[in-house]
Amino acid sequence: AIELRVASLSDEVCAVMADRSWSVHEVKAAVEDCEGVPVLGQRLLCGSTELLDAQVLDRILPASEVTHLVLVRRSPAHVTCLKRLCNLDLSYSADLEEAIELGLDKDLGIAALHAGILKLEQLTIRNSWYGDSPTARLVEELLSDRETIIAVMRLDGMDLRHVQGHLRNDRDVVMAAVCQNGLALQWAALEHRCDRAVVKAAVRENRRAIDYACGGLESDTELRYCIY
């Protein structure tokens, strides 16, 4: 168990006794029970790092008995927009355009990606459909935001296959992906599949990732030792 002391920017909000197997979403649900702040209205930070809904506490928090988190509240307008987004099927271009009409902007798009309301795959598959429109510009902003893409990789490393342009070759993006799911190594550029540190991180997460290593690393004795 771990005690989470959740404070706003001005004062302490509540203490939550959590299991390390909890997801961040479960912590937010406990805060909602304690203080009435809706899950979609919460941003939780540990230090300067925002915690994402699907992340598991044991993998992201220090091994201490007490951890301090900061609660940043979203505006009521943002919460309303996110709730409406939950009722849309954003895999359809018309619904994504409707979401923009409801107030979806870059900040809310990032929040929707963090919460799993919006999927990277939905953006990349539909990107060519929008032409020169507000929807196309928003999609491009989201797909080119480096910190957002890294955050998405921490939720689902296999989404690396949907990353476009230079970010697909960004080492930090790739490292975030393989640390979440070692098998994401198969979607990495050749230079990263030949990178010992990247391959080692992937193999530590999933031993089958060694099958996607290149440059002789697939038969490297030290890396194969990590498997056993």
Side-chain angles (χ1 to χ4, degrees), residues 49-64:
T49 302
E50 182 168 359
L51 308 184
L52 309 180
D53 283 15
Q55 290 179 308
V56 176
L57 299 184
D58 193 46
R59 300 189 66 170
I60 58 175
L61 294 184
S64 57

PDB file of all heavy atoms in Angstrom, residues 49-64:
ATOM      1  N   THR A  49       5.831  15.799 -13.660  1.00  0.00           N
ATOM      2  CA  THR A  49       5.337  14.802 -14.612  1.00  0.00           C
ATOM      3  C   THR A  49       3.857  14.537 -14.409  1.00  0.00           C
ATOM      4  O   THR A  49       3.431  14.197 -13.298  1.00  0.00           O
ATOM      5  CB  THR A  49       6.115  13.472 -14.467  1.00  0.00           C
ATOM      6  OG1 THR A  49       7.507  13.721 -14.682  1.00  0.00           O
ATOM      7  CG2 THR A  49       5.618  12.456 -15.478  1.00  0.00           C
ATOM      8  N   GLU A  50       3.073  14.683 -15.480  1.00  0.00           N
ATOM      9  CA  GLU A  50       1.651  14.372 -15.384  1.00  0.00           C
ATOM     10  C   GLU A  50       1.448  12.869 -15.450  1.00  0.00           C
ATOM     11  O   GLU A  50       2.038  12.175 -16.286  1.00  0.00           O
ATOM     12  CB  GLU A  50       0.865  15.053 -16.503  1.00  0.00           C
ATOM     13  CG  GLU A  50      -0.630  14.790 -16.397  1.00  0.00           C
ATOM     14  CD  GLU A  50      -1.477  15.663 -17.297  1.00  0.00           C
ATOM     15  OE1 GLU A  50      -0.895  16.514 -18.016  1.00  0.00           O
ATOM     16  OE2 GLU A  50      -2.714  15.489 -17.282  1.00  0.00           O
ATOM     17  N   LEU A  51       0.603  12.345 -14.553  1.00  0.00           N
ATOM     18  CA  LEU A  51       0.292  10.921 -14.523  1.00  0.00           C
ATOM     19  C   LEU A  51      -0.884  10.650 -15.455  1.00  0.00           C
ATOM     20  O   LEU A  51      -1.873  11.383 -15.449  1.00  0.00           O
ATOM     21  CB  LEU A  51      -0.050  10.486 -13.094  1.00  0.00           C
ATOM     22  CG  LEU A  51       0.982  10.864 -12.020  1.00  0.00           C
ATOM     23  CD1 LEU A  51       0.570  10.291 -10.667  1.00  0.00           C
ATOM     24  CD2 LEU A  51       2.375  10.382 -12.392  1.00  0.00           C
ATOM     25  N   LEU A  52      -0.774   9.601 -16.235  1.00  0.00           N
ATOM     26  CA  LEU A  52      -1.772   9.285 -17.247  1.00  0.00           C
ATOM     27  C   LEU A  52      -2.699   8.170 -16.761  1.00  0.00           C
ATOM     28  O   LEU A  52      -2.272   7.249 -16.060  1.00  0.00           O
ATOM     29  CB  LEU A  52      -1.086   8.869 -18.543  1.00  0.00           C
ATOM     30  CG  LEU A  52      -0.014   9.847 -19.041  1.00  0.00           C
ATOM     31  CD1 LEU A  52       0.596   9.346 -20.330  1.00  0.00           C
ATOM     32  CD2 LEU A  52      -0.592  11.245 -19.225  1.00  0.00           C
ATOM     33  N   ASP A  53      -3.957   8.252 -17.135  1.00  0.00           N
ATOM     34  CA  ASP A  53      -5.009   7.408 -16.560  1.00  0.00           C
ATOM     35  C   ASP A  53      -4.681   5.920 -16.552  1.00  0.00           C
ATOM     36  O   ASP A  53      -4.965   5.214 -15.583  1.00  0.00           O
ATOM     37  CB  ASP A  53      -6.328   7.623 -17.307  1.00  0.00           C
ATOM     38  CG  ASP A  53      -7.007   8.921 -16.907  1.00  0.00           C
ATOM     39  OD1 ASP A  53      -6.349   9.770 -16.283  1.00  0.00           O
ATOM     40  OD2 ASP A  53      -8.204   9.087 -17.208  1.00  0.00           O
ATOM     41  N   ALA A  54      -4.102   5.403 -17.629  1.00  0.00           N
ATOM     42  CA  ALA A  54      -3.890   3.959 -17.744  1.00  0.00           C
ATOM     43  C   ALA A  54      -2.614   3.475 -17.059  1.00  0.00           C
ATOM     44  O   ALA A  54      -2.394   2.273 -16.940  1.00  0.00           O
ATOM     45  CB  ALA A  54      -3.862   3.546 -19.218  1.00  0.00           C
ATOM     46  N   GLN A  55      -1.778   4.393 -16.602  1.00  0.00           N
ATOM     47  CA  GLN A  55      -0.523   3.986 -15.972  1.00  0.00           C
ATOM     48  C   GLN A  55      -0.776   3.342 -14.611  1.00  0.00           C
ATOM     49  O   GLN A  55      -1.708   3.709 -13.886  1.00  0.00           O
ATOM     50  CB  GLN A  55       0.407   5.193 -15.809  1.00  0.00           C
ATOM     51  CG  GLN A  55       0.952   5.719 -17.124  1.00  0.00           C
ATOM     52  CD  GLN A  55       1.854   6.928 -16.922  1.00  0.00           C
ATOM     53  OE1 GLN A  55       1.485   7.894 -16.271  1.00  0.00           O
ATOM     54  NE2 GLN A  55       3.048   6.871 -17.482  1.00  0.00           N
ATOM     55  N   VAL A  56       0.065   2.373 -14.258  1.00  0.00           N
ATOM     56  CA  VAL A  56      -0.034   1.656 -12.983  1.00  0.00           C
ATOM     57  C   VAL A  56       0.956   2.268 -11.999  1.00  0.00           C
ATOM     58  O   VAL A  56       2.114   2.530 -12.341  1.00  0.00           O
ATOM     59  CB  VAL A  56       0.253   0.149 -13.184  1.00  0.00           C
ATOM     60  CG1 VAL A  56       0.238  -0.581 -11.849  1.00  0.00           C
ATOM     61  CG2 VAL A  56      -0.779  -0.452 -14.132  1.00  0.00           C
ATOM     62  N   LEU A  57       0.496   2.497 -10.775  1.00  0.00           N
ATOM     63  CA  LEU A  57       1.297   3.209  -9.787  1.00  0.00           C
ATOM     64  C   LEU A  57       2.659   2.560  -9.559  1.00  0.00           C
ATOM     65  O   LEU A  57       3.673   3.250  -9.414  1.00  0.00           O
ATOM     66  CB  LEU A  57       0.544   3.297  -8.454  1.00  0.00           C
ATOM     67  CG  LEU A  57      -0.801   4.032  -8.476  1.00  0.00           C
ATOM     68  CD1 LEU A  57      -1.364   4.125  -7.055  1.00  0.00           C
ATOM     69  CD2 LEU A  57      -0.664   5.418  -9.083  1.00  0.00           C
ATOM     70  N   ASP A  58       2.694   1.244  -9.518  1.00  0.00           N
ATOM     71  CA  ASP A  58       3.945   0.550  -9.203  1.00  0.00           C
ATOM     72  C   ASP A  58       5.036   0.835 -10.216  1.00  0.00           C
ATOM     73  O   ASP A  58       6.223   0.748  -9.898  1.00  0.00           O
ATOM     74  CB  ASP A  58       3.689  -0.957  -9.122  1.00  0.00           C
ATOM     75  CG  ASP A  58       4.854  -1.694  -8.484  1.00  0.00           C
ATOM     76  OD1 ASP A  58       5.356  -1.220  -7.439  1.00  0.00           O
ATOM     77  OD2 ASP A  58       5.271  -2.738  -9.018  1.00  0.00           O
ATOM     78  N   ARG A  59       4.634   1.213 -11.432  1.00  0.00           N
ATOM     79  CA  ARG A  59       5.614   1.432 -12.494  1.00  0.00           C
ATOM     80  C   ARG A  59       6.053   2.884 -12.604  1.00  0.00           C
ATOM     81  O   ARG A  59       7.034   3.183 -13.286  1.00  0.00           O
ATOM     82  CB  ARG A  59       5.057   0.963 -13.843  1.00  0.00           C
ATOM     83  CG  ARG A  59       4.707  -0.512 -13.874  1.00  0.00           C
ATOM     84  CD  ARG A  59       4.381  -0.989 -15.267  1.00  0.00           C
ATOM     85  NE  ARG A  59       5.543  -0.931 -16.146  1.00  0.00           N
ATOM     86  CZ  ARG A  59       5.585  -1.475 -17.358  1.00  0.00           C
ATOM     87  NH1 ARG A  59       4.538  -2.114 -17.835  1.00  0.00           N
ATOM     88  NH2 ARG A  59       6.665  -1.370 -18.096  1.00  0.00           N
ATOM     89  N   ILE A  60       5.335   3.796 -11.941  1.00  0.00           N
ATOM     90  CA  ILE A  60       5.623   5.209 -12.171  1.00  0.00           C
ATOM     91  C   ILE A  60       5.958   6.003 -10.912  1.00  0.00           C
ATOM     92  O   ILE A  60       6.507   7.106 -11.019  1.00  0.00           O
ATOM     93  CB  ILE A  60       4.439   5.897 -12.887  1.00  0.00           C
ATOM     94  CG1 ILE A  60       3.148   5.772 -12.072  1.00  0.00           C
ATOM     95  CG2 ILE A  60       4.259   5.329 -14.278  1.00  0.00           C
ATOM     96  CD1 ILE A  60       1.977   6.534 -12.649  1.00  0.00           C
ATOM     97  N   LEU A  61       5.647   5.448  -9.727  1.00  0.00           N
ATOM     98  CA  LEU A  61       5.888   6.196  -8.495  1.00  0.00           C
ATOM     99  C   LEU A  61       7.101   5.636  -7.758  1.00  0.00           C
ATOM    100  O   LEU A  61       7.434   4.455  -7.883  1.00  0.00           O
ATOM    101  CB  LEU A  61       4.661   6.136  -7.582  1.00  0.00           C
ATOM    102  CG  LEU A  61       3.393   6.825  -8.099  1.00  0.00           C
ATOM    103  CD1 LEU A  61       2.302   6.770  -7.034  1.00  0.00           C
ATOM    104  CD2 LEU A  61       3.667   8.265  -8.512  1.00  0.00           C
ATOM    105  N   PRO A  62       7.776   6.481  -6.971  1.00  0.00           N
ATOM    106  CA  PRO A  62       8.924   6.004  -6.200  1.00  0.00           C
ATOM    107  C   PRO A  62       8.513   4.970  -5.161  1.00  0.00           C
ATOM    108  O   PRO A  62       7.347   4.897  -4.755  1.00  0.00           O
ATOM    109  CB  PRO A  62       9.452   7.283  -5.533  1.00  0.00           C
ATOM    110  CG  PRO A  62       8.288   8.232  -5.524  1.00  0.00           C
ATOM    111  CD  PRO A  62       7.515   7.926  -6.762  1.00  0.00           C
ATOM    112  N   ALA A  63       9.475   4.184  -4.715  1.00  0.00           N
ATOM    113  CA  ALA A  63       9.195   3.081  -3.772  1.00  0.00           C
ATOM    114  C   ALA A  63       9.158   3.577  -2.339  1.00  0.00           C
ATOM    115  O   ALA A  63       9.784   3.012  -1.448  1.00  0.00           O
ATOM    116  CB  ALA A  63      10.236   1.983  -3.933  1.00  0.00           C
ATOM    117  N   SER A  64       8.406   4.625  -2.098  1.00  0.00           N
ATOM    118  CA  SER A  64       8.267   5.164  -0.742  1.00  0.00           C
ATOM    119  C   SER A  64       6.859   4.903  -0.234  1.00  0.00           C
ATOM    120  O   SER A  64       5.946   4.607  -1.014  1.00  0.00           O
ATOM    121  CB  SER A  64       8.549   6.672  -0.739  1.00  0.00           C
ATOM    122  OG  SER A  64       7.690   7.341  -1.636  1.00  0.00           O
TER     123      SER A  64
END
